[in-house]
Amino acid sequence: MPAHSQKPEDEHDDPLQAVILTDCHENRFMPLTMQTPRCLLNLANIPLIDYTLHFLASAGVEHVYIVTSHFHEEVESHLETAGWNNDNSHFSRIECIRSQSESVGGVMRDLDQYGVLKNDFVVVYGDLISNLPLEEALSAHKKRREADKDAIMTMVLRESGTGSDSRREKAPVFVIDPKNDRCVHYEDMSPDKKEHFVSLDPDLLHDHQDMDIRADLIDCEVDIYTPDVLALWTDNFDFQTARQNFLYSVLKDYELNGKKIFTHVTTDYYAARARNLREYDTISKAIIERWVYPWTPDNNLCFGYNYQMTKGFRYKELDVRLARSCQIGPKTMIGNDTSAGEGTVIIGSVVGRRCIIGNNVTIENAYIWDDTVIRDGSHIKQAIVAKGCTIGKKCIIEPGALIATGVQVADNTTVKSSSRLTCIKRKRDDSGDFEPVTTDTKVVGVGGKGTEYSPDPDDEDEEDASLPHGLVYNLSHLTFSTESFSDPDDSFSDTSDIDPSQGRRNSTAGSIISLASDDDTSASERKSEIAFHNEAVAQLTDSLAKGDASDNMQLELTSLRMVTQASEHAMRRAIVASFMRHISSLVSDGTSIASAVTSTIKPHQALLNRNIFDKEKASKVDQVDLLLLLQSDLSKRLDGDAILLRVTHELVNLDVVEAEGIEQWWNDERSVASKEVTRLREKTRQLVDYLLRDSSEDEDDEDEDESD
Amino acid sequence: MPGKGFRTPGLESFVDNLDEFKLERSTEVLIQLLARRQISGSKNCAIAVAGLLLRIVQDSPANSVQDLLDQVSQIGQRLIAAQPRELAVGNIVRRVLGLIREVSGIGQDDEIRSELSSMLDGQDGLNRPEMLHSISTYSPLRHAASEFTGASTPESPQPIKRPNFAQSGYSSFAMPSTKTAMNLFGLLAEPSYSPTGTPPITNRESPALSTKNLNIIQEQASIKETIQEIGDGMRELLDEVDLAAEQISESATDYINSNDMIMAQGLSDTTHKFLAEAARKRKFTVFVVEGEPNEGQATRNMILYGSAKSPSDDDGQEGTTKRLVDLGVNVVLIPDSAIFAIMSTVTKVLLAPQAVLANGGLVANVGTSMIAAAAQAHKVPVLALSGVYKLSPLYPLDTDELREIGSASGLGGSVGSWGKVNVMNPMWDYVEPEKVNLYITNLGGHAPSYLYRIVADHYDKEDINLGTDM
């Protein structure tokens, strides 16, 4: 969508370009992001992307490319209404690019193909909030670039200083040569890792006299790229993430590619990304407390706002109607056309536009978005109530609750602190459409509308969604698996709420924890395993749908595995998950189970075989593992038992799994660990019985001993 | 590869692009620059606004002066709304509006004029112009309303000859060195009543118009001429802004004596020039107050390098101005906390206001109020150096609203304190008129109580409440 057909007046030889990645391929704001992309969520009553655009505009960026995926139209129409792409915009070009890619790597490769980025450009995410001036970083970058063609990238980092927030999601470790700010090594160190160490290449010590090893840098992923970087992404088709994959590998392979990456560390200014609700909360407060000046509400940077500030960080728009006895506490923001009744107390909260707040309502540290109605006597604390909700009389919304768009809570209802209420859900078919949920009166009361949000079990990506609890400081209600938290100390439990792996682990405890056989794997390894899993499954499912050759799939999988150092178990898990997903989607399209299974597994027999390494051994650990994975995966799916039977049969037929493997699996106690899995395998009993009879003639039993 | 280098938007890039961009885009860009505080400081704001308005006037498709007035006041209000606390923006807009009225002769208030002429007739010093008989109910924040009403213009303006200020014997206007060029009204007094200055839509009965043989072509030509004149007047205004600091410094030796002990609030451009000029003839000591947290670095750089920006390692460029120490001034840098202690030894205090208000009060960097109070306690005279363009016709009814609250991280907050510690960083202070002894402007020295008079001379009454909800 070229925003401007002709604008010769603005065309410089080398306009500064920028790319905004709006889809971060994670869904931590669910169910708030069900129908709105994250970058359009309101933060302090202004859509997140507007902050990012202002950041770029203030840095002198002229061309902006916004990469969107699911919510292309929404983003475009926002740009239209907010006046970003009219003729008088600060950007001479602003363009939305739709990308179907599931990862940053994919987006970068798409951009490379798109071929519009000819100059150096800035890459940011659509949830960046910062008042950093980029001028210095840009000119330093340019100077290095002129001196050295291989200086391909500059990362802008913010020093966190003393007393920094220990609850960071990741603690990236940058090893920097202080002489020329070159980054020589990067590692993602999770705060939950037991051993805190960085493994440095001895050559580095030889090449660099000084090295700063810094874990105190906040990485908001503001990068200055040269077009070469895109080419590098394209060359390395297995790179998925910007830091863990790309940065780590490029630095590691310096000998090979000779590319240099630099850092620009600032000690002042604000920079943060609203990556999760926890950060959403912190950033909202920072904006209200003017840490992000001049990005303050009363500067009314965006068109159509008219906030004014009075003492104590109270911001109000012009037309706010407050009853005489209504108390507005400090650090509060109230939008236009909102009214609050007698005796109502609003403290430390952000209230959107056109809200109607009744009498004697208490709103404390909460975020109330536009068009919401809160009736008399309700209490809301540390919660988010999205657009167009209705909260009945005398309701209590406990800290941490999330109420998504359109939910109606009936009178006298208590919304529990861990609730995430929604009134729509994604349709089961992959159309991406939404349908209304059946109201659960236990949750929203009689006469309400909405139900508890449950992450789609099919969609691994959405499992991050269990993080919204990040809004709440007290996390005691979260039950963490003891496996991953064997010795929680204070700082550790602090970090837990925002770590994706834990969050995920929580929601899928049944499938992952119970089958994870290696207790000693540290949590961070698991995290990378999960990252691997998500990527691998996405890749494989894609390839299956496209009908790629088995060899290519293996190649991709292997390269991905190399990057993340995933275990064989993880490989198998990814394969199982993607194959089963493919099969069940075929089945739901009307294919018979038998043919779905055959058509999926048969062509990829080799792929499966290559991940089974115990054909020669007596104890068939790998085969058992594969079958257990199958079992647990299918326990969540429709007709799982029938599919299991077919798949097992097929595997035996193709000799991927031997009869001994089946037998060991059948006798393994993990295969009857829960009611569900036991029920699931009942249909397969016949087959197993038949196979057992078959094999028992020449085989001695060696079961039981392989379990851990 | 980039050849020109990246440039953060600011005054420089704005002025460069002014001719390149379409008018509406330039306006939009300036509004954003003001709102993002990328153009800040009264001088920069004044130059940017004057530059934009000049372009509006030049490009104006307006076929009547009234249209032009409407256009300028509408854009002016949007600019004011973008940064209501930067009073220089409103000042320039109002002066341009006044200029347009002046040149075209519409919108003159007969009441004032008759009063003025009576005053001129009688030469009665006690008979004062009453331009401000309606005190503006100023509230900068009220500007922020997103809808704008066009400037109100009188229904039937009465044409009365504007008194020629240049000849009217106002001492303040007669700067010897710059003659009438100093003052835009004086400058324009001469042509202001040429028969060509006739707007077509007003039904005024000037002798020129009443001659019926004016045809449309002549009217068009007359508008062109009027616009030409307005443009000239605006260039004068730009010059005034640009040269204010130098003109102020010309009188430096009148106010600074040898062996003076001077306390200066920071080293603004104006203060620096003023002191540098005085140093040519006088030997004196300056105590420069640091002005932390917002101005500290700039002050130190000014002392060390002679420019507010430290010479960055790349260009290694020294400031163009000479450092005060090189000029033989004894410079002492003192922290803000030492103001009171030092004050007893000080003979004069120099303030550099951000804006001056019609009541004689001023708005300046935070800490100024403390200096003024200390000076008052020690009975030290306080001089404020300010160009006339900083003089606003507004009265401070709510001094809190005048203050800009800056970034909390300006106080050195670390990441850890984000959202945990409450930090207030007001950037400006209001100083009451009682605490200021003398204003030194490009028109000369004035007592605070006299400022209303300069306001009356420079602004049209019509425009004083521009942008406020009146």
Side-chain angles (χ1 to χ4, degrees):
Chain A
M1 179 222 63
H4 302 289
S5 44
Q6 256 190 337
K7 270 221 165 251
E9 52 172 0
D10 318 319
E11 294 303 333
H12 295 296
D13 309 332
D14 48 6
L16 182 56
Q17 298 177 309
V19 172
I20 303 178
L21 307 174
T22 58
D23 196 329
C24 307
H25 313 290
E26 45 195 22
N27 284 306
R28 296 194 202 144
F29 281 75
M30 277 293 178
L32 300 174
T33 46
M34 201 95 89
Q35 281 178 316
T36 329
R38 187 202 305 183
C39 65
L40 295 188
L41 294 183
N42 276 359
L43 189 141
N45 289 341
I46 294 170
L48 272 169
I49 197 164
D50 285 348
Y51 292 97
T52 314
L53 287 167
H54 274 294
F55 167 75
L56 293 175
S58 69
V61 169
E62 288 179 48
H63 293 182
V64 177
Y65 300 93
I66 300 175
V67 184
T68 59
S69 57
H70 300 310
F71 297 102
H72 190 77
E73 286 77 19
E74 283 86 347
V75 174
E76 269 192 355
S77 76
H78 171 74
L79 294 178
E80 201 76 51
T81 50
W84 284 107
N85 60 358
N86 63 21
D87 282 351
N88 308 319
S89 151
H90 324 278
F91 306 117
S92 48
R93 176 178 298 164
I94 182 162
E95 202 172 312
C96 286
I97 300 170
R98 196 198 288 261
S99 164
Q100 300 297 346
S101 301
E102 290 289 327
S103 69
V104 178
V107 169
M108 291 298 167
R109 289 183 273 276
D110 288 353
L111 281 173
D112 193 27
Q113 295 232 310
Y114 200 67
V116 284
L117 296 155
K118 300 269 186 269
N119 304 319
D120 291 7
F121 59 99
V122 182
V123 180
V124 295
Y125 285 85
D127 51 7
L128 173 78
I129 285 154
S130 174
N131 56 1
L132 266 173
L134 277 182
E135 193 179 12
E136 255 179 78
L138 283 167
S139 55
H141 172 82
K142 195 188 136 219
K143 204 184 286 172
R144 275 195 293 266
R145 178 90 180 128
E146 274 163 7
D148 183 357
K149 282 276 169 248
D150 286 328
I152 53 163
M153 175 174 159
T154 302
M155 299 178 285
V156 183
L157 307 166
R158 164 71 158 96
E159 206 170 82
S160 64
T162 48
S164 76
D165 201 335
S166 58
R167 292 176 299 251
R168 278 191 287 153
E169 184 170 346
K170 292 187 281 186
V173 178
F174 292 89
V175 181
I176 300 167
D177 187 336
K179 259 192 296 201
N180 49 11
D181 293 331
R182 201 180 128 199
C183 183
V184 293
H185 183 78
Y186 170 84
E187 226 167 276
D188 240 355
M189 194 181 279
S190 312
D192 49 354
K193 211 174 192 174
K194 271 181 206 139
E195 297 100 11
H196 286 85
F197 64 83
V198 176
S199 28
L200 281 178
D201 189 343
D203 289 349
L204 288 178
L205 296 169
H206 185 259
D207 294 344
H208 302 274
Q209 276 192 325
D210 295 326
M211 276 194 291
D212 288 347
I213 301 176
R214 307 189 64 165
D216 66 331
L217 298 172
I218 298 175
D219 183 10
C220 289
E221 304 192 33
V222 178
D223 294 343
I224 303 163
Y225 277 22
T226 53
D228 299 6
V229 178
L230 290 183
L232 211 57
W233 276 102
T234 307
D235 293 347
N236 296 277
F237 57 86
D238 54 331
F239 288 170
Q240 301 291 317
T241 59
R243 291 288 184 258
Q244 242 169 335
N245 292 170
F246 180 80
L247 181 61
Y248 177 80
S249 313
V250 170
L251 293 175
K252 210 174 65 175
D253 299 340
Y254 172 64
E255 300 292 322
L256 240 78
N257 53 34
K259 302 291 184 204
K260 293 175 192 156
I261 293 175
F262 292 84
T263 56
H264 181 86
V265 179
T266 57
T267 51
D268 209 350
Y269 302 102
Y270 190 89
R273 278 183 58 199
R275 275 184 270 229
N276 52 44
L277 285 172
R278 176 54 177 276
E279 286 177 38
Y280 174 91
D281 181 46
T282 322
I283 296 169
S284 298
K285 293 218 153 54
I287 284 177
I288 285 175
E289 291 169 24
R290 306 182 81 86
W291 290 97
V292 205
Y293 176 89
W295 276 225
T296 53
D298 61 327
N299 275 6
N300 299 310
L301 281 166
C302 300
F303 178 75
Y305 293 89
N306 48 30
Y307 282 97
Q308 297 174 11
M309 190 185 86
T310 49
K311 276 186 184 139
F313 305 113
R314 294 169 173 93
Y315 302 88
K316 270 187 299 194
E317 272 194 285
L318 282 182
D319 190 15
V320 175
R321 280 150 289 165
L322 302 174
R324 184 160 283 230
S325 58
C326 165
Q327 285 179 43
I328 304 299
K331 300 182 196 173
T332 300
M333 210 177 144
I334 303 178
N336 239 356
D337 274 331
T338 287
S339 64
E342 298 284 350
T344 289
V345 179
I346 305 175
I347 298 171
S349 303
V350 176
V351 181
R353 288 179 161 182
R354 299 174 297 278
C355 294
I356 300 169
I357 298 168
N359 299 330
N360 300 312
V361 174
T362 309
I363 300 173
E364 223 176 293
N365 297 322
Y367 299 90
I368 316 286
W369 295 356
D370 298 349
D371 302 302
T372 286
V373 177
I374 298 167
R375 298 201 201 286
D376 300 355
S378 286
H379 288 256
I380 301 178
K381 226 175 162 185
Q382 284 187 334
I384 293 182
V385 181
K387 282 177 192 171
C389 296
T390 306
I391 309 289
K393 287 178 185 165
K394 296 197 175 130
C395 289
I396 295 169
I397 313 290
E398 291 183 353
L402 276 187
I403 300 180
T405 306
V407 170
Q408 294 176 3
V409 180
D411 296 356
N412 301 311
T413 311
T414 300
V415 176
K416 290 270 181 309
S417 63
S418 53
S419 309
R420 286 178 285 156
L421 304 186
T422 177
C423 60
I424 44 164
K425 65 178 182 200
R426 192 166 278 164
K427 275 191 179 162
R428 299 294 289 184
D429 56 7
D430 277 342
S431 64
D433 290 343
F434 296 95
E435 56 186 354
V437 292
T438 37
T439 294
D440 184 352
T441 49
K442 258 185 266 170
V443 184
V444 293
V446 180
K449 191 177 137 201
T451 186
E452 179 74 34
Y453 167 76
S454 54
D456 202 341
D458 274 3
D459 206 337
E460 304 270 350
D461 302 344
E462 281 177 29
E463 285 168 15
D464 279 347
S466 56
L467 287 165
H469 303 103
L471 191 61
V472 182
Y473 303 139
N474 176 10
L475 297 156
S476 54
H477 61 282
L478 288 180
T479 47
F480 292 112
S481 146
T482 46
E483 274 171 299
S484 42
F485 298 105
S486 42
D487 53 347
D489 57 307
D490 280 350
S491 65
F492 182 61
S493 49
D494 259 350
T495 63
S496 54
D497 60 318
I498 44 172
D499 185 273
S501 68
Q502 266 85 43
R504 198 185 117 117
R505 199 155 294 271
N506 237 350
S507 59
T508 51
S511 66
I512 302 170
I513 308 274
S514 60
L515 290 177
S517 49
D518 35 1
D519 274 303
D520 52 332
T521 327
S522 76
S524 77
E525 274 170 44
R526 285 201 183 136
K527 195 167 126 190
S528 76
E529 223 170 75
I530 285 157
F532 163 80
H533 180 73
N534 287 340
E535 282 154 25
V537 169
Q539 228 175 50
L540 286 172
T541 317
D542 226 35
S543 313
L544 281 173
K546 280 191 284 185
D548 284 355
S550 188
D551 284 351
N552 293 348
M553 285 161 71
Q554 174 70 25
L555 189 68
E556 277 181 37
L557 199 60
T558 314
S559 54
L560 195 60
R561 184 187 161 193
M562 295 298 183
V563 173
T564 46
Q565 291 157 355
S567 63
E568 290 157 9
H569 167 77
M571 296 272 280
R572 282 191 290 270
R573 191 154 70 87
I575 292 171
V576 165
S578 54
F579 275 49
M580 291 312 119
R581 195 191 283 189
H582 187 67
I583 289 171
S584 61
S585 82
L586 283 178
V587 169
S588 66
D589 286 349
T591 323
S592 77
I593 293 177
S595 65
V597 168
T598 322
S599 70
T600 310
I601 293 184
K602 203 155 188 184
H604 301 295
Q605 179 192 355
L607 181 65
L608 289 163
N609 264 329
R610 267 188 228 168
N611 290 293
I612 303 284
F613 305 95
D614 57 1
K615 287 272 168 69
E616 312 303 320
K617 295 181 204 148
S619 156
K620 312 288 184 190
V621 187
D622 291 356
Q623 296 177 22
V624 172
D625 184 42
L626 181 71
L627 290 165
L628 283 170
L629 284 166
L630 266 175
Q631 197 179 359
S632 88
D633 186 274
L634 287 169
S635 68
K636 291 180 293 181
R637 291 181 198 275
L638 206 63
D639 291 333
D641 44 358
I643 299 176
L644 181 67
L645 171 64
R646 284 287 164 194
V647 171
T648 323
H649 184 236
E650 192 67 32
L651 291 175
V652 174
N653 267 355
L654 296 171
D655 247 0
V656 174
V657 176
E658 295 155 295
E660 293 88 340
I662 296 278
E663 183 188 350
Q664 286 173 20
W665 162 61
W666 196 255
N667 294 327
D668 194 305
E669 57 198 11
R670 286 173 293 173
S671 73
V672 287
S674 76
K675 244 190 226 155
E676 265 173 45
V677 286
T678 319
R679 179 191 59 77
L680 196 78
R681 67 173 211 169
E682 280 319 302
K683 270 204 181 168
T684 322
R685 180 179 291 277
Q686 253 187 323
L687 173 75
V688 175
D689 286 349
Y690 163 75
L691 287 169
L692 287 190
R693 248 182 288 126
D694 217 27
S695 64
S696 57
E697 292 158 16
D698 46 61
E699 274 293 331
D700 280 335
D701 272 1
E702 265 187 271
D703 52 326
E704 254 71 78
D705 56 348
E706 89 280 353
S707 47
D708 310 275
Chain B
M1 279 309 98
K4 241 196 313 187
F6 304 109
R7 196 165 54 172
T8 307
L11 178 64
E12 215 180 298
S13 66
F14 171 74
V15 172
D16 283 359
N17 286 333
L18 197 53
D19 296 330
E20 229 177 285
F21 284 2
K22 285 192 195 120
L23 187 62
E24 189 48 32
R25 179 147 187 234
S26 281
T27 312
E28 208 53 54
V29 166
L30 180 57
I31 286 172
Q32 289 295 329
L33 286 173
L34 286 172
R36 286 199 300 257
R37 310 299 191 256
Q38 285 184 313
I39 293 183
S40 63
S42 43
K43 186 176 175 184
N44 291 347
C45 289
I47 290 174
V49 171
L52 180 72
L53 295 182
L54 177 61
R55 170 109 201 275
I56 291 171
V57 170
Q58 280 170 342
D59 290 16
S60 173
N63 36 25
S64 79
V65 175
Q66 190 57 53
D67 284 358
L68 188 63
L69 272 179
D70 289 348
Q71 201 188 355
V72 169
S73 88
Q74 208 199 0
I75 289 179
Q77 287 179 53
R78 286 167 65 197
L79 295 175
I80 293 170
Q83 180 25 326
R85 293 189 187 89
E86 196 74 74
L87 299 179
V89 176
N91 296 350
I92 297 296
V93 173
R94 290 185 181 92
R95 283 185 65 173
V96 170
L97 287 172
L99 176 68
I100 297 171
R101 289 209 172 85
E102 169 80 21
V103 171
S104 61
I106 62 165
Q108 308 286 359
D109 195 297
D110 50 331
E111 190 189 329
I112 296 162
R113 209 131 327 95
S114 57
E115 206 150 336
L116 276 173
S117 46
S118 75
M119 187 186 93
L120 287 171
D121 293 343
Q123 290 298 331
D124 183 357
L126 296 171
N127 194 356
R128 290 172 174 169
E130 272 188 282
M131 248 169 160
L132 292 171
H133 59 103
S134 68
I135 288 176
S136 73
T137 52
Y138 173 63
S139 163
L141 300 184
R142 228 154 273 148
H143 292 291
S146 45
E147 66 230 326
F148 305 102
T149 49
S152 58
T153 39
E155 294 301 303
S156 55
Q158 294 293 310
I160 290 170
K161 196 169 189 321
R162 177 102 183 169
N164 189 332
F165 284 115
Q167 301 159 4
S168 65
Y170 291 163
S171 61
S172 61
F173 288 106
M175 275 297 283
S177 56
T178 44
K179 305 195 299 180
T180 52
M182 218 53 253
N183 177 286
L184 62 104
F185 284 170
L187 189 240
L188 298 159
E190 234 179 326
S192 70
Y193 250 73
S194 66
T196 51
T198 311
I201 57 158
T202 51
N203 49 354
R204 45 192 289 264
E205 300 163 43
S206 85
L209 232 190
S210 58
T211 57
K212 297 274 196 276
N213 55 355
L214 269 180
N215 60 25
I216 292 161
I217 297 162
Q218 270 176 321
E219 277 183 25
Q220 294 293 344
S222 77
I223 286 163
K224 247 188 202 134
E225 260 175 66
T226 313
I227 284 175
Q228 186 75 40
E229 268 172 43
I230 295 169
D232 290 344
M234 290 179 70
R235 272 181 279 271
E236 296 290 344
L237 180 58
L238 264 171
D239 282 348
E240 183 202 315
V241 173
D242 214 25
L243 298 174
E246 257 138 63
Q247 285 166 353
I248 292 168
S249 72
E250 277 167 26
S251 59
T253 42
D254 299 350
Y255 299 102
I256 293 180
N257 304 324
S258 283
N259 300 322
D260 254 347
M261 305 286 264
I262 291 162
M263 181 180 284
Q265 153 70 354
L267 269 185
S268 69
D269 187 40
T270 313
T271 317
H272 193 275
K273 285 204 170 86
F274 191 79
L275 292 172
E277 182 63 28
R280 287 165 48 156
K281 293 196 180 143
R282 312 264 193 264
K283 267 284 208 203
F284 54 93
T285 303
V286 181
F287 294 100
V288 181
V289 181
E290 219 174 8
E292 282 293 349
N294 302 315
E295 295 300 318
Q297 195 54 49
T299 306
R300 285 189 290 273
N301 287 340
M302 204 70 187
I303 292 173
L304 294 172
Y305 312 111
S307 84
K309 277 190 198 133
S310 70
S312 45
D313 22 3
D314 27 304
D315 17 281
Q317 200 182 336
E318 284 279 313
T320 42
T321 41
K322 269 198 152 181
R323 297 182 297 171
L324 281 181
V325 278
D326 298 335
L327 298 166
V329 181
N330 191 11
V331 181
V332 183
L333 182 68
I334 60 165
D336 304 50
S337 46
I339 290 168
F340 200 87
I342 304 282
M343 192 58 84
S344 56
T345 64
V346 170
T347 56
K348 265 165 207 141
V349 170
L350 284 187
L351 301 183
Q354 168 84 21
V356 181
L357 301 159
N359 68 341
L362 61 85
V363 178
N365 283 332
V366 71
T368 308
S369 187
M370 192 160 62
I371 298 177
Q376 201 179 32
H378 283 101
K379 305 277 186 288
V380 178
V382 175
L383 315 180
L385 310 177
S386 160
V388 168
Y389 69 91
K390 291 186 188 179
L391 177 58
S392 166
L394 304 172
Y395 273 82
L397 295 185
D398 182 354
T399 52
D400 269 348
E401 284 192 349
L402 290 170
R403 254 191 238 160
E404 169 103 351
I405 310 290
S407 165
S409 50
L411 293 174
S414 67
V415 177
S417 47
W418 290 348
K420 285 179 203 147
V421 187
N422 291 344
V423 180
M424 275 294 257
N425 179 13
M427 295 170 82
W428 301 336
D429 255 353
Y430 170 70
V431 179
E432 298 84 352
E434 306 84 66
K435 291 184 182 153
V436 184
N437 297 82
L438 191 70
Y439 280 95
I440 303 171
T441 69
N442 40 343
L443 302 181
H446 313 286
S449 57
Y450 183 76
L451 290 182
Y452 81 99
R453 185 70 173 268
I454 302 180
V455 166
D457 291 342
H458 283 76
Y459 297 96
D460 199 309
K461 184 191 142 202
E462 297 286 335
D463 307 320
I464 287 172
N465 288 322
L466 179 79
T468 55
D469 290 339
M470 288 293 287

